[in-house]
Amino acid sequence: MKTKILIVIALGIGAILSAFSQSAIVSAGGNATGNGMVSYSVGQTAFMPIKSSKGNVEPGVQHTYEITVVGMFDEMRISLRALAYPNPTSDFLQLQVDDMNIQDMQYTIYNLMGQPLFGDKITGKYTSIDMTELQPGIYILHVTDGIHTIKTLRIVKK
């Protein structure tokens, strides 16, 4: 009889504990909707990654991002200006290079996803960059000396 009571008590305690096994103490959370719905929490200590052909979700994990300035030494040795008329530019961007040997220098225009769109060699102090074919948005202009990035500029196309 005592054994049956102990088994019932043990099963009852196990059922109560398992009812709370999926809960956690978190600092914040909520629901996000879009093409589906995801519940999220900030500070969750345990997680299970969800992977599919459309992407990956790692709930409860806070990813850190490190932003690094690259080419600081290179930027000190050049005086490079990008002049856009009007600003933001709609047709042509004027690139002016001062006090620098332009041999082997080139520019490349990138979209915000980092894909190169077009580029060319810099042949003189003033270079005109045709931006008429680009859609309105923000673009990145990289100027290199053939090996190193000398200057990176943000360009707005209206």
Side-chain angles (χ1 to χ4, degrees), residues 6-19:
L6 287 174
I7 291 175
V8 170
I9 291 174
L11 289 174
I13 291 173
I16 291 171
L17 291 176
S18 67

Side-chain angles (χ1 to χ4, degrees), residues 45-58:
T45 57
F47 68 92
M48 179 195 294
I50 303 166
K51 297 181 179 183
S52 74
S53 62
K54 294 183 180 180
N56 300 334
V57 176
E58 294 186 24

Side-chain angles (χ1 to χ4, degrees), residues 10 19-20 33 44 56 59 61 65 75 88 90 98 101 109 128 144:
F20 295 107
T33 59
Q44 184 174 342
N56 300 334
V61 178
Y65 295 96
E75 288 186 17
S90 59
D98 291 330
N101 181 3
I109 300 285
S128 183
T144 64

